Amino acid sequence: MRPTEDPVTETEGAQEGFPRRRSHRKPASDQLLGFRNVLNIIFMILALIGVVVYVWFDSTVGTYIVIGGMAFKMVECCLRMLR
């Protein structure tokens, strides 16, 4: 590359024959988005409560609370996959 050439225009000129790729996002009109957000909030709250109960009180009850929260997360994951 010569010092007087612009590196941006040189690379653009080298790729003229190739089509440009564009990343297209899916429209944000997901009908289950609100329901999935609620399921995620329930999961986060139960996970936090479960960890607190596990550490400070009873490990068995804390484990059951975390597993219950994971059930909500699995439902949310299935909804996302089936969309």
Side-chain angles (χ1 to χ4, degrees):
M1 183 171 78
R2 288 177 236 140
T4 58
E5 293 179 1
D6 185 16
V8 175
T9 56
E10 183 177 301
T11 56
E12 287 175 1
Q15 296 179 355
E16 278 183 6
F18 297 107
R20 291 185 179 214
R21 291 186 176 207
R22 296 180 186 198
S23 60
H24 294 282
R25 292 187 140 193
K26 292 183 179 178
S29 64
D30 186 10
Q31 298 164 348
L32 296 175
L33 184 63
F35 185 62
R36 285 181 28 223
N37 284 340
V38 169
L39 289 175
N40 274 328
I41 290 170
I42 292 171
F43 162 70
M44 288 187 280
I45 290 171
L46 285 177
L48 184 65
I49 291 172
V51 168
V52 168
V53 169
Y54 183 88
V55 171
W56 284 339
F57 300 108
D58 186 17
S59 63
T60 306
V61 175
T63 302
Y64 290 143
I65 293 172
V66 170
I67 290 173
M70 287 174 61
F72 283 98
K73 186 62 179 178
M74 282 189 265
V75 169
E76 188 271 333
C77 245
C78 289
L79 288 174
R80 188 180 338 149
M81 297 271 186
L82 294 175
R83 177 176 71 109

